[in-house]
Amino acid sequence: MSLSFFPGRRVTVAHVVTCGCPAATERAPRYGAWVDADAEAARASAAAGREPLPGCEMPDICPQYPLHAEEIDADGPAPEVNTHNGTARLLLPLLELSVTDEDGQGDPYGTLPAPDFLGRVLTALALTPPDPGARGRAGRFSTGGRAPGHLQRRLHDLHHLAQWCQQHDRPVTWG
């Protein structure tokens, strides 16, 4: 499981067939409708001996995986910050976004105007002590560790996202 932070109010101008690599997505032919791009992705993925897409960053393994249709945003490639749930449980309270109901369950979904989100990120960057990291644990359930400074790196990623959203007059959404 994970939690993603991304720009809200996406305006789609086209659809492409892509492997997911940014350069391949940028070079891909545009389709006006999702169904057309999705049908082409299925056809191309099923073709025997498929070549990697132009611009693919992993041409050795790209043909082994299916292609998919993707929307093209009017504002160009938009940043997205995806976090593991463990990291999200640490970040949300730092950003004062943790909402807890009477059962102690959090609601990790929401939207804020970019300037408000940016203010929360800047406050968290200023007030959060250096992250010492955490060791992973193994046993009946394994949990991953966290490298020292990981929370600060994720806060810097969120800072970049908030600035992009503010420049493009878009809110920041998470969920």
Side-chain angles (χ1 to χ4, degrees):
M1 299 291 299
S2 64
L3 181 71
S4 292
F5 296 83
F6 49 92
R9 290 194 320 258
R10 183 176 187 138
V11 179
T12 302
V13 293
H15 303 87
V16 296
V17 175
T18 183
C19 58
C21 294
T25 301
E26 190 172 316
R27 294 179 186 182
R30 290 349 192 204
Y31 294 85
W34 172 267
V35 294
D36 295 337
D38 192 45
E40 177 57 24
R43 187 203 63 73
S45 293
R50 178 178 75 78
E51 294 291 319
L53 297 179
C56 178
E57 297 169 3
M58 298 182 289
D60 295 340
I61 64 169
C62 182
Q64 300 170 30
Y65 294 92
L67 300 174
H68 64 276
E70 193 171 291
E71 297 174 336
I72 300 298
D73 192 305
D75 290 325
E80 181 175 320
V81 178
N82 185 272
T83 64
H84 181 274
N85 276 349
T87 300
R89 279 192 288 276
L90 297 172
L91 284 173
L92 290 172
L94 293 177
L95 300 169
E96 294 187 0
L97 297 176
S98 179
V99 178
T100 306
D101 63 19
E102 60 276 355
D103 296 324
Q105 300 298 310
D107 181 16
Y109 305 97
T111 298
L112 276 178
D116 293 352
F117 190 84
L118 180 59
R120 290 168 185 260
V121 170
L122 290 171
T123 300
L125 279 167
L127 298 177
T128 303
D131 177 18
R135 291 181 50 154
R137 294 186 307 249
R140 185 168 180 184
F141 296 99
S142 294
T143 60
R146 189 177 69 252
H150 181 70
L151 291 177
Q152 279 75 19
R153 284 190 295 279
R154 300 317 325 239
L155 286 168
H156 282 286
D157 293 341
L158 292 173
H159 180 259
H160 172 70
L161 169 67
Q163 287 182 315
W164 188 95
C165 288
Q166 188 168 0
Q167 290 170 347
H168 292 92
D169 194 29
R170 308 248 305 258
V172 176
T173 301
W174 61 96

